[in-house]
Amino acid sequence: MEIIEIKVMRGPNYWSISRKKLIVMKLDLEALEEQPTNKINGFAERLQQLMPSLISHRCSENKEGGFFVRVAEGTWMGHVIEHIALELQTLAGMECGFGRTRGTGTKGVYNVVFSYMEEEVGVYAAKAAVKIAEALIAGTDYDIDADVRKMRELRENVRFGPSTGSIVDEAIARDIPFIRVNSESLVQLGYGKNQVRFRATMTDRTSSIAVDLASNKDETKRLLKDAAIPVAKGVCISNPDDLESAIVAVGFPLVFKPLDGNHGKGASINVKTVEEAKEAFNHAKKYSRRIIIEKFINGYDFRVLVINNRFIAAALREPAHIIGDGISTIQQLIDNENLDPRRGYGHENVLTEISIDRETTEQLAKKNYTLDTILKKDELCYLKGTANLSTGGTSTDVTDIVHPHNIVICERISRIIGLDICGIDIMASNLSEPLETTGGVVLEVNAAPGFRMHLAPAKGLPRNVAAPVIDMLYPTGKSCRIPIIAVTGTNGKTTTTRLIAHIVKNNGYKVGFTTSDGIYVGNSMLTKGDTTGPISAEFILKDPTVEFAVLETARGGILRSGLGFSRCDVAVITNIQEDHMGLSDIHTLKDMARVKGVVAESVKRDGYVVLNADNDYCVGVSKEVNCRVAYFSMNENNSVIKEHCKKGGIAAIYENGFITIKKGDWKFRVQKVTNVPLTFGGRVSFMIQNVLAATLASYVYGFATEDIATSLETFIPSAAQTPGRMNIFDFKEYKVMIDFAHNADGFRGIKEFLSTIDSPAKIGIITGTGDRRDDDIRDMGRISAQMFDHIIIRQDKFLRGRQAQEIVDLLVEGIKEVNANMSYEYVPKEIEALKHAFSIAKPGTYIVALSDVIDNAIEVVNSYLEKERVG
């Protein structure tokens, strides 16, 4: 077998709108296409022996063991690999569940599709599943446990920590979109101007001064003491010569901790001798220049969580520990404790495995114990000096028994330090009585406190502490989204996108939009090039200045990794024509309609999809959507329009020379076509279609017809406003038009326009696109022969898998089918082809350059215009 490619879907996609995270592996079964599983001796038995847990896969049999039934009866290897990949992830602690395997149209080649939780793990699972299948076919041994271990390691390296993950999960539950801004824990919630950011449990509301204060334990202690908050007696030193005087001033037993440390690093507790004090000082010195020495307070270690100055949760924390049985050594007890299914690698489970490190040996040494020591029955032995969950500690929820006076103290502390999310460490015998009664003290205040102890305590009630974070970031009435209009289709996408953006801008919004020539925010181009994929969409949605997004959304990006947004307010499908056929396993217009339909299916329920009623495949998309539908048409008597409006629907039509909105039986004339510069006086029908689509999208979003009409009048087609979209340049003796038409339907649009042009000679500069089917290229030659008097064939910048001469030959075949005597020549370089056309142009000539590199062509034409002007 051969893996041809692996694609990662990250948004709504061709395979599923709701399941955004999918792996799509294109797999060539090669000889195995002729060998279903029932024809491979012993395969079913070996599979069951290696992965017995696959019995839970019900498959199409819809019963436990259903997948094994399918394997025994005979199924194809792609299907088997899909299930192996899913089960591998489950064994590694990531249950996914969705999968399907479909043919590509090429014999023996399949798309194996399955869900993932972490991208890197999903890709690894795809590759490992193929290796496992090959080993099972060959009957060789395979170490599946090694794959599972590797996948768990990959997951821990890339996944969100429990705190970040809980906030993201809560956001998802509330339908708030998120974007992972980096590979760590920086996350954006919401889009555009309504975004907020957080990292772990620090938000963009967190005060930097408050974080500095919390990091300086000595300063924190002073502020709390001045505010009558009980704190532990202590001093701060940096010189070892001051150690003895500090011991005298505070008195044993002691706690040593670095001034600006965190997570218990460098801390030592219950220090009782001078020798221990020296060791504790040196250990803390590794983490900070200055060391805090405090009185050790007998009691329990509590963590109180305050969010937005409100008490949220409290937990009793215990350091990692074991309890003797009178038989086992300390090492054996630790090993047994790590067998607890609640313990896992890193943050994968409620508890973390207990590791043996320097801190462990030091804790044991204080009791003259080693790992070989046998503890007495029921003897409690602490293995760490601090109660951090990340080192194997445990937590017990005590939220419901915290005394109201202690709640007041903690909420005061959050305001005194100024933290929006605040973790307060308290040492006391209990929290059910006031600290003043128990003699308890506040040990420290933490910025970015961990949530795991509250989310999943070892004992007690789990607390959804992420909910108040989202309540704080998005209080009632605050939106997390910005309006999104997404535009797709075969032709007209860029012009429609630009026109909609112009209308939005004229309605007072800071608009961000993506097109095939660049990314724009307001009037500024920020990135140049074809920016119609999900990365470009995300670029706009990450910009904090953008108030409204208009996103051109092309076929390639949808197939490559899905949409770059979770849903939109309005979707536009301009048309569905034959282009890019045969690429990425899209062979028919029905297939292409499914691709374009992804955008339509992403519209929110009360939003609109705007469809071309003159295109049957667009009309067909309406049957798959879960939103409202609006149609546009060049013909007010179109049967789809008449039926739709009869039911009270909304449409845009071209009637009696007007762009008109039709709502039920009522008509609202928006603008006369001759007043819309983009239509070239109403002579260019495909431009009228673009105007209809943009007008209707703007109207159903909520813009007034008067504002739309003004925008249509002020949108001037030019090389600056609409580069490559019928840019016409007037020379003294001839005209030049540059257009991005690159498929048969685009060529037909140019042909229709040229039929209105009175010219003694029409020269066309054309090329073919290498990744199109042979007859698609011939068709461009045929249409060119019908609209030009002389043709200059040039070479495309990107040959896309073909030889230049092969493309030329196909174009010539198409030309000669229409006119065997047609005048044509071959000038490979586009710039030279343009210059040559200028050199042979006679008075009145109309030169049309159908270009794939718009900027270069426009630059050359402008330079000739300047020369002519200067004289």
Side-chain angles (χ1 to χ4, degrees):
M1 291 181 286
E2 179 191 0
I3 298 174
I4 297 171
E5 66 174 345
I6 295 177
K7 292 187 285 193
V8 181
M9 301 294 119
R10 304 180 185 92
N13 57 77
Y14 181 76
W15 303 97
S16 175
I17 298 298
S18 59
R19 296 176 178 89
K20 302 177 180 69
K21 299 170 73 170
L22 296 176
I23 298 295
V24 181
M25 175 169 61
K26 192 171 183 179
L27 183 67
D28 187 349
L29 297 187
E30 297 176 334
L32 288 170
E33 172 66 3
E34 308 299 333
Q35 285 185 287
T37 50
N38 61 337
K39 293 186 178 180
I40 303 172
N41 290 334
F43 181 86
E45 294 75 15
R46 290 193 292 274
L47 177 61
Q48 290 189 48
Q49 184 177 4
L50 183 66
M51 301 185 76
S53 55
L54 280 168
I55 195 169
S56 64
H57 291 220
R58 304 171 72 87
C59 206
S60 57
E61 300 294 316
N62 200 25
K63 63 180 181 181
E64 187 173 89
F67 173 62
F68 283 146
V69 171
R70 291 288 310 278
V71 172
E73 291 176 348
T75 188
W76 268 258
M77 202 54 63
H79 181 212
V80 173
I81 287 167
E82 167 204 323
H83 281 269
I84 291 175
L86 286 169
E87 188 59 22
L88 274 176
Q89 292 181 89
T90 299
L91 293 172
M94 293 160 280
E95 192 162 349
C96 300
F98 174 81
R100 60 177 57 169
T101 299
R102 298 289 184 267
T104 63
T106 301
K107 184 178 179 181
V109 179
Y110 295 82
N111 280 312
V112 179
V113 182
F114 59 88
S115 53
Y116 68 88
M117 289 180 68
E118 299 296 340
E119 185 175 311
E120 289 185 30
V121 178
V123 173
Y124 184 94
K127 295 175 180 178
V130 173
K131 292 177 183 176
I132 290 169
E134 289 173 335
L136 290 168
I137 293 165
T140 56
D141 292 336
Y142 191 91
D143 185 359
I144 201 168
D145 291 336
D147 281 336
V148 171
R149 284 194 300 273
K150 180 63 177 178
M151 290 165 70
R152 290 172 70 188
E153 290 171 9
L154 284 173
R155 177 194 57 190
E156 289 307 304
N157 289 338
V158 298
R159 77 167 176 173
F160 289 129
S163 301
T164 306
S166 69
I167 297 172
V168 168
D169 289 343
E170 181 65 19
I172 292 170
R174 300 189 190 195
D175 196 29
I176 296 172
F178 79 94
I179 297 172
R180 189 169 189 168
V181 179
N182 63 13
S183 60
E184 303 302 324
S185 297
L186 183 60
V187 176
Q188 174 185 314
L189 299 180
Y191 290 151
K193 73 165 188 175
N194 292 325
Q195 67 179 268
V196 295
R197 290 180 180 178
F198 72 94
R199 188 201 304 270
T201 59
M202 289 177 64
T203 76
D204 52 15
R205 292 180 41 154
T206 304
S207 161
S208 59
I209 293 176
V211 173
D212 283 345
L213 286 173
S215 299
N216 188 322
K217 294 176 172 43
D218 194 42
E219 184 68 14
T220 297
K221 197 162 138 184
R222 185 187 64 76
L223 284 172
L224 297 183
K225 185 178 179 181
D226 290 348
I229 305 290
V231 295
K233 180 181 178 183
V235 296
C236 184
I237 66 172
S238 57
N239 194 323
D241 295 339
D242 297 329
L243 183 58
E244 288 190 23
S245 61
I247 292 172
V248 171
V250 181
F252 289 118
L254 299 168
V255 173
F256 284 72
K257 53 189 176 184
L259 176 70
D260 47 7
N262 54 45
H263 301 298
K265 292 176 182 176
S268 300
I269 66 170
N270 202 14
V271 175
K272 296 178 178 178
T273 68
V274 173
E275 277 305 310
E276 288 179 0
K278 289 178 180 177
E279 289 183 17
F281 178 87
N282 290 332
H283 181 49
K285 200 73 170 163
K286 296 174 184 176
Y287 298 91
S288 177
R289 190 175 62 83
R290 303 181 69 197
I291 312 302
I292 290 179
I293 302 174
E294 290 178 341
K295 188 74 173 180
F296 176 72
I297 307 297
N298 279 310
Y300 296 102
D301 184 349
F302 293 97
R303 164 62 66 82
V304 177
L305 180 65
V306 179
I307 298 174
N308 203 20
N309 306 128
R310 287 177 49 241
F311 167 76
I312 299 299
L316 165 65
R317 303 187 297 177
E318 273 195 284
H321 62 274
I322 50 175
I323 298 174
D325 59 7
I327 301 170
S328 306
T329 66
I330 289 175
Q331 178 68 67
Q332 290 169 333
L333 290 170
I334 293 172
D335 292 341
N336 288 336
E337 178 63 28
N338 282 336
L339 293 175
D340 184 336
R342 295 176 302 169
R343 291 195 182 272
Y345 179 79
H347 296 307
E348 71 177 352
N349 287 341
V350 174
L351 301 173
T352 300
E353 291 176 351
I354 300 171
S355 61
I356 298 168
D357 55 15
R358 172 192 171 280
E359 191 175 4
T360 308
T361 56
E362 285 183 358
Q363 288 295 316
L364 295 177
K366 288 178 181 179
K367 291 190 172 186
N368 293 319
Y369 289 171
T370 69
L371 292 172
D372 295 324
T373 300
I374 296 174
L375 297 181
K376 297 175 184 175
K377 185 173 176 56
D378 298 327
E379 180 184 353
L380 177 67
C381 178
Y382 286 108
L383 302 169
K384 307 288 181 184
T386 56
N388 293 90
L389 268 66
S390 57
T391 58
T394 60
S395 68
T396 301
D397 178 73
V398 295
T399 302
D400 294 331
I401 61 172
V402 178
H403 193 279
H405 181 71
N406 293 335
I407 291 176
V408 171
I409 287 176
C410 292
E411 290 180 345
R412 277 193 71 219
I413 289 171
S414 74
R415 291 182 183 275
I416 291 166
I417 303 303
L419 286 170
D420 58 339
I421 302 177
C422 180
I424 302 165
D425 292 342
I426 296 174
M427 185 67 73
S429 57
N430 64 73
L431 290 183
S432 55
E433 297 177 83
L435 293 183
E436 291 83 352
T437 302
T438 62
V441 297
V442 174
L443 297 177
E444 57 185 64
V445 180
N446 298 278
F451 282 1
R452 184 159 65 131
M453 69 187 77
H454 308 295
L455 295 165
K459 298 176 186 175
L461 189 67
R463 305 285 172 172
N464 181 8
V465 295
V469 175
I470 299 296
D471 291 340
M472 175 180 69
L473 297 175
Y474 285 105
T476 303
K478 181 178 178 181
S479 175
C480 63
R481 296 177 182 268
I482 60 173
I484 297 174
I485 296 180
V487 182
T488 192
T490 303
N491 292 315
K493 298 186 295 296
T494 298
T495 301
T496 304
T497 297
R498 282 181 168 276
L499 181 53
I500 293 172
H502 180 72
I503 295 168
V504 171
K505 193 187 310 175
N506 286 351
N507 275 271
Y509 288 91
K510 183 69 170 287
V511 62
F513 58 103
T514 61
T515 70
S516 58
D517 51 78
I519 298 175
Y520 297 79
V521 173
N523 296 319
S524 302
M525 176 190 274
L526 302 182
T527 301
K528 195 173 184 179
D530 188 345
T531 58
T532 56
I535 293 175
S536 303
E538 193 173 276
F539 182 103
I540 289 294
L541 299 175
K542 287 197 295 189
D543 191 308
T545 69
V546 171
E547 299 171 335
F548 200 120
V550 184
L551 306 173
E552 182 178 345
T553 308
R555 164 207 62 89
I558 297 172
L559 290 170
R560 188 169 55 252
S561 54
L563 299 180
F565 50 89
S566 54
R567 71 164 185 253
C568 58
D569 297 82
V570 179
V572 178
I573 304 183
T574 57
N575 46 66
I576 299 172
Q577 306 286 1
E578 289 201 346
D579 192 22
H580 302 282
M581 308 304 288
L583 301 177
S584 301
D585 308 319
I586 304 302
H587 300 287
T588 67
L589 281 174
K590 186 176 179 182
D591 293 339
M592 187 63 75
R594 281 191 59 205
V595 177
K596 306 295 185 181
V598 171
V599 181
E601 291 179 62
S602 73
V603 177
K604 63 182 186 178
R605 284 187 175 274
D606 60 346
Y608 275 91
V609 57
V610 172
L611 299 172
N612 187 341
D614 300 329
N615 184 286
D616 290 342
Y617 289 96
C618 282
V619 174
V621 169
S622 66
K623 300 172 185 175
E624 307 299 326
V625 300
N626 293 307
C627 63
R628 294 179 287 185
V629 177
Y631 290 104
F632 67 91
S633 173
M634 294 288 286
N635 176 15
E636 68 172 314
N637 293 314
N638 179 295
S639 60
V640 174
I641 296 288
K642 291 176 74 173
E643 185 66 25
H644 179 67
C645 291
K646 187 177 179 181
K647 296 176 182 177
I650 300 174
I653 54 174
Y654 177 49
E655 54 86 29
N656 293 314
F658 283 89
I659 301 294
T660 300
I661 295 292
K662 190 174 184 187
K663 195 172 183 181
D665 291 330
W666 294 96
K667 292 180 182 178
F668 307 93
R669 286 179 169 171
V670 179
Q671 186 58 271
K672 198 169 185 179
V673 166
T674 53
N675 294 336
V676 181
L678 189 60
T679 68
F680 293 85
R683 290 179 297 163
V684 185
S685 60
F686 66 83
M687 283 298 189
I688 297 174
Q689 292 175 49
N690 295 336
V691 171
L692 286 169
T695 299
L696 185 55
S698 303
Y699 180 78
V700 296
Y701 175 75
F703 295 132
T705 53
E706 296 84 355
D707 295 329
I708 297 171
T710 301
S711 297
L712 296 182
E713 279 188 276
T714 57
F715 188 77
I716 311 298
S718 65
Q721 182 86 286
T722 54
R725 275 70 190 176
M726 295 191 66
N727 303 146
I728 299 174
F729 303 84
D730 290 320
F731 287 78
K732 289 177 182 178
E733 295 192 341
Y734 56 86
K735 292 180 183 290
V736 177
M737 183 174 79
I738 295 176
D739 194 87
F740 190 62
H742 57 282
N743 56 42
D745 191 61
F747 274 42
R748 290 188 191 99
I750 299 298
K751 175 189 167 188
E752 182 182 351
F753 170 70
L754 287 179
S755 68
T756 69
I757 300 298
D758 184 17
S759 170
K762 297 172 185 175
I763 298 175
I765 302 172
I766 70 166
T767 187
T769 307
D771 58 3
R772 304 309 198 264
R773 297 171 302 185
D774 287 2
D775 205 53
D776 293 335
I777 299 173
R778 289 191 193 96
D779 206 18
M780 293 164 76
R782 295 180 190 113
I783 300 166
S784 296
Q786 293 166 3
M787 61 176 164
F788 297 125
D789 300 307
H790 178 69
I791 295 173
I792 300 171
I793 300 173
R794 64 171 182 82
Q795 183 176 308
D796 203 353
K797 183 178 180 182
F798 302 106
L799 297 176
R800 307 185 191 195
R802 290 189 188 259
Q803 296 296 315
Q805 190 58 48
E806 183 184 3
I807 297 172
V808 172
D809 291 344
L810 289 169
L811 286 169
V812 171
E813 285 178 26
I815 291 168
K816 289 188 173 182
E817 280 182 34
V818 173
N819 184 351
N821 299 314
M822 183 74 197
S823 168
Y824 71 88
E825 56 188 313
Y826 177 49
V827 181
K829 293 184 179 179
E830 180 180 31
I831 304 305
E832 296 304 317
L834 272 167
K835 291 178 179 179
H836 177 62
F838 297 159
S839 71
I840 63 174
K842 296 176 182 177
T845 298
Y846 208 98
I847 301 170
V848 178
L850 302 178
S851 172
D852 66 326
V853 186
I854 298 303
D855 289 344
N856 291 352
I858 290 173
E859 187 178 330
V860 170
V861 174
N862 277 328
S863 69
Y864 269 73
L865 266 177
E866 181 63 20
K867 287 177 184 177
E868 183 177 84
R869 185 185 67 81
V870 173

